[in-house]
Amino acid sequence: MTTPFRTVELDIIDPISGVASDIADGHGTLPHGTQSRLTQALETVSTLRYSDLGYVREDHVPYPPFVSQAFDLDRGLSLSATGLGASSSYGSLTFLNPTGLMDAVLTGRINDRLPVRINRGQKTYDPIRGLLKDPASDTLQPLFSGLGRNWRPDHLSATVDLLDATSWLDRSMTVSTYGGTGRLDGDSNVAGRNRPRLRGEVCNVTPVLIDATNYVYQVSDGPVDITALYEGGYADGITFAADVEDIYAVSPPAGTWSRQVQPNGTWIRLGSRPVYQITLDAFGHFPSGAAPVAVLDILRQMLIEDIPVPHGTIDASWPVTSDLAPWSAGWYWDGSSSETGTTITQTLLSGLGLTLVSTRRGTLRPVRLQIPDPDTVPVLSLTPDLVSAISAVGLSAPFDVPAWRWRVGWQHNFTVTTGTALHPQSSADRQALVAVADRNAVWLDMRIKAQWRQPSDPDAVITALSRQDDAQTIATLQGRLWATSRQIWAVTVPETLGLHCDLGDIVSLSAPVPGLRQAVLGIVMAEHLRAGDSTMTLQILTITEELAAVLGSFILDQDQLA
C-alpha cells in the first residue's frame, strides 16, 4: 500500500542580514577613503520546506505538514492559425500559520518572484512497525518548478500564488534611450525614444534619424552588415564611401554615405540631404558579437542578452544551434514602442507551429507541432489497461475541419512604399517588393475544397522568415498536418504515469474508441491535475500520417500566383 504526498520548497530573502555599519575598524588603520575588501552581504537567501503529510529526508531535514491546500494544475498549448501559444494556470499554495508561527517570515522575509519547487512522492506502508515510510529524496518526481508571488496572509494561514518560467517573458526588453544632447545621443527630436534593435536578416527597414542637421541615422544597438542602402527604393543613387571610427570626424562627400560600427551600435551618415526615404537591407548582430541566423537561435540569444532571463532558465535540450527550426529569419524593432519577452517570442515564432513551454523543472523549452516520423519512439505508451477514462475534445476554427490552403509570409517588408514616395529610377522588381508588406508561400489542395462544403481557409500569417524556401517548407508542413480531420482526446491516467511526459512530447495511444483501436502517435497538448487526485488528465492530439499522405497537394510559387 502506498500513499502519495507532496513537498514544497520556497526560497525567501532576508533583506537586512548584514549592513556595512557592522564594520568597526579603528581610526587611522587605513587611508581616508579606502574601500574595504571585506564585502558584507546585505541579504541572505534561505529555503522554507513544508509538505502536506509530513516528510523527512534521509539526511534528517524535516518537511513539516504545514501545506493545507495543494495546487491545481492546468497548462497546455492553445492552437491558433498564426501559431501556437502557451496557456497555463497554476493556482496557489496555502500554508498553515498556527499561533502565529510564521509571522516573522510573513512580515520580515521577501518571497515575491523567488523560486518555488513542488515534488511528489509515495509513502510505503511498513506492516511490521505499522507506519508509513518516507522514500529517498532522489525518487521524488517534480510537479512544478517556478516562482511564487508575494504573501497573502490570513488569520491562520498564508497563500502564495504560483507562476511558471514563462513569467520571465513578461520582462521588458532592456533598452537605452536617447538623451537628446546631440551627436550619437540624438537631437531633441528623438529625446526619450528607445534605440532601434535589429536581429537577423531583414528587408527594407527605415533607420532612425537621430541628427537631422548632419543626416546621421542609427540602424541598431549592435553591429550590422548593410547589404544595400536605398533612397526611395533606388539602390544606385547614394554610394558607399567608407567605414569610419568617428562618424562626426569628416562628412562624407555628397551623394555618398559612411558607416560607424561598434559593439554598442551601428550608425550611417549621408553626405547630402536625401530627397526620398532612406531604407536598408541588412543583417543584425548582437552586441556580444553573436550572429545567429535561424529563428530559434535568434530567440534564444535574445532571451539571454535582450531580456534577459535568469541563468539556467534555458532548457539544456535547447542548444545554441537548434535543428528544430533551421530557418533563416530576422526582425527590426525601431524603438517606437516598448517590447517584452512575450511580444518578442510571439513575433519571431508566429506562424511557424512553434511555442515556448515551461517544463516541470522550471526551464523554457521550444516545442514544434508537426507530424512525427513513423519511426519515432514515443516517450510514453498509453494502452487500454492504463487509461481509466477517455473522451473527445472539440477543436475550434480553423482546425475543426480540414484546411484546403495555407499561406505563410516571408521577407517581411518593414517600409511599404508606393507612388510618389518611390524614386523614378527604382527598378520594377524593387517597386513590386516594397509595395506590399509580405509575400506568401502557398500550399493548397483543390480536392479538399471540392470534398468539403465549407473547408477551412486560414488567413495568411506574417512570419519573421527571410527565405521563400523556408516559408514554403512551413506552408507544406502545415498543409499536410491540417489537410485531414484531427482529434484531441482527453485521457485520464495514473498521476505517476502521466508525469513521465511533458507538453510537446510524442506519445502512443490506443483505446477502444474509433480511430484508436490500433496504436497511433500523438502530441501532448495539455494536462490537468487536481490536488488530492491520484490521476491526471492528458489532452493528446492524435496524428496519423496515412490519410494526409494520400491526399494530394499542389504548391504554387509567386509567379504562378501572379
Side-chain angles (χ1 to χ4, degrees):
M1 182 180 68
T2 60
T3 301
F5 71 99
R6 298 177 182 182
T7 63
V8 177
E9 297 178 346
L10 299 93
D11 289 352
I12 58 173
I13 287 178
D14 179 359
I16 54 172
S17 62
V19 293
S21 60
D22 292 339
I23 304 174
D25 291 333
H27 179 73
T29 58
L30 293 172
H32 181 70
T34 300
Q35 294 183 348
S36 172
R37 295 183 179 181
L38 301 176
T39 59
Q40 289 288 310
L42 299 182
E43 64 182 29
T44 58
V45 179
S46 57
T47 302
L48 300 178
R49 295 179 174 88
Y50 300 124
S51 70
D52 52 357
L53 296 182
Y55 172 68
V56 179
R57 286 192 332 214
E58 59 273 16
D59 56 355
H60 310 296
V61 175
Y63 289 69
F66 282 3
V67 179
S68 64
Q69 179 179 335
F71 73 111
D72 294 335
L73 168 66
D74 293 288
R75 64 185 189 127
L77 307 177
S78 55
L79 285 173
S80 69
T82 57
L84 285 176
S87 175
S88 303
S89 174
Y90 290 99
S92 60
L93 288 166
T94 301
F95 301 91
L96 296 175
N97 183 26
T99 65
L101 186 64
M102 290 181 62
D103 283 0
V105 173
L106 298 177
T107 57
R109 302 294 186 270
I110 297 173
N111 77 312
D112 189 48
R113 292 187 179 270
L114 288 178
V116 176
R117 297 169 294 277
I118 303 176
N119 294 318
R120 181 192 190 280
Q122 295 277 118
K123 292 177 179 283
T124 57
Y125 181 70
D126 186 346
I128 298 178
R129 293 181 292 173
L131 50 78
L132 294 172
K133 295 191 300 182
D134 289 334
S137 58
D138 59 3
T139 65
L140 302 182
Q141 293 178 289
L143 282 180
F144 171 83
S145 182
L147 306 173
R149 297 298 303 272
N150 203 17
W151 304 110
R152 289 194 287 114
D154 203 345
H155 178 52
L156 295 175
S157 64
T159 299
V160 175
D161 294 326
L162 301 177
L163 302 169
D164 70 2
T166 59
S167 62
W168 291 118
L169 301 181
D170 294 336
R171 287 182 168 187
S172 296
M173 183 163 55
T174 55
V175 294
S176 59
T177 59
Y178 294 108
T181 60
R183 295 175 69 91
L184 297 184
D185 193 38
D187 58 23
S188 59
N189 295 318
V190 294
R193 176 173 176 158
N194 294 335
R195 296 177 187 266
R197 186 160 301 187
L198 193 159
R199 303 291 185 257
E201 184 179 1
V202 296
C203 172
N204 207 44
V205 300
T206 300
V208 178
L209 179 62
I210 66 171
D211 185 343
T213 302
N214 295 292
Y215 316 124
V216 177
Y217 300 76
Q218 183 165 6
V219 183
S220 180
D221 64 345
V224 172
D225 299 326
I226 299 174
T227 55
L229 181 144
Y230 302 91
E231 182 187 9
Y234 182 49
D236 298 326
I238 305 176
T239 59
F240 177 65
D243 282 318
V244 296
E245 294 185 2
D246 182 359
I247 205 163
Y248 278 96
V250 179
S251 176
T256 67
W257 61 279
S258 60
R259 178 180 63 174
Q260 178 181 339
V261 180
Q262 295 178 342
N264 65 338
T266 297
W267 298 264
I268 63 172
R269 181 177 181 181
L270 305 184
S272 53
R273 181 177 181 176
V275 177
Y276 300 93
Q277 189 169 24
I278 299 298
T279 59
L280 307 168
D281 292 342
F283 181 90
H285 301 241
F286 285 81
S288 66
V293 175
V295 61
L296 269 183
D297 305 338
I298 294 173
L299 176 59
R300 185 184 189 277
Q301 195 65 28
M302 291 195 73
L303 294 181
I304 294 173
E305 287 197 43
D306 293 332
I307 301 302
V309 298
H311 177 72
T313 304
I314 304 296
D315 194 78
S317 65
W318 188 358
V320 175
T321 303
S322 174
D323 59 0
L324 186 63
W327 309 311
S328 299
W331 204 259
Y332 178 64
W333 295 269
D334 65 3
S336 60
S337 61
S338 298
E339 302 291 340
T340 65
T342 299
T343 59
I344 290 172
T345 301
Q346 291 171 345
T347 296
L348 292 177
L349 300 188
S350 173
L352 307 183
L354 290 164
T355 192
L356 286 186
V357 299
S358 176
T359 68
R360 293 195 185 92
R361 298 187 181 275
T363 58
L364 293 174
R365 175 173 73 104
V367 168
R368 178 177 160 192
L369 187 62
Q370 61 180 334
I371 297 175
D373 190 289
D375 298 328
T376 300
V377 178
V379 173
L380 188 64
S381 294
L382 301 177
T383 53
D385 58 311
L386 300 175
V387 176
S388 59
I390 184 170
S391 60
V393 178
L395 286 168
S396 58
F399 306 104
D400 51 343
V401 293
W404 74 276
R405 180 173 63 169
W406 276 92
R407 291 166 291 170
V408 176
W410 62 281
Q411 199 177 33
H412 179 71
N413 169 28
F414 287 84
T415 308
V416 176
T417 310
T418 59
T420 57
L422 287 167
H423 194 289
Q425 292 181 270
S426 60
S427 66
D429 288 344
R430 189 68 186 181
Q431 290 187 30
L433 187 152
V434 300
V436 295
D438 296 275
R439 293 178 287 175
N440 295 319
V442 182
W443 174 97
L444 60 82
D445 191 325
M446 298 302 297
R447 283 180 289 180
I448 295 177
K449 189 175 183 180
Q451 290 169 357
W452 291 77
R453 291 189 175 183
Q454 191 172 347
S456 175
D457 184 17
D459 293 334
V461 295
I462 299 173
T463 75
L465 299 176
S466 54
R467 296 283 186 269
Q468 181 180 7
D469 290 345
D470 293 334
Q472 190 62 69
T473 297
I474 297 298
T476 303
L477 290 174
Q478 293 286 72
R480 288 177 55 205
L481 179 61
W482 300 109
T484 185
S485 295
R486 299 295 182 190
Q487 184 64 63
I488 291 182
W489 299 94
V491 182
T492 302
V493 299
E495 185 181 84
T496 53
L497 182 66
L499 292 178
H500 287 289
C501 62
D502 211 333
L503 296 182
D505 283 347
I506 302 297
V507 298
S508 172
L509 176 63
S510 60
V513 295
L516 297 180
R517 302 190 189 279
Q518 299 294 326
V520 298
L521 294 179
I523 299 176
V524 178
M525 299 294 292
E527 67 177 16
H528 308 282
L529 190 151
R530 294 292 174 264
D533 289 350
S534 60
T535 61
M536 64 186 300
T537 299
L538 302 175
Q539 289 192 8
I540 300 173
L541 175 67
T542 53
I543 298 178
T544 53
E545 174 70 10
E546 293 76 18
L547 186 55
V550 170
L551 293 172
S553 62
F554 190 61
I555 299 170
L556 297 179
D557 59 25
Q558 290 299 123
D559 294 336
Q560 290 172 305
L561 283 174

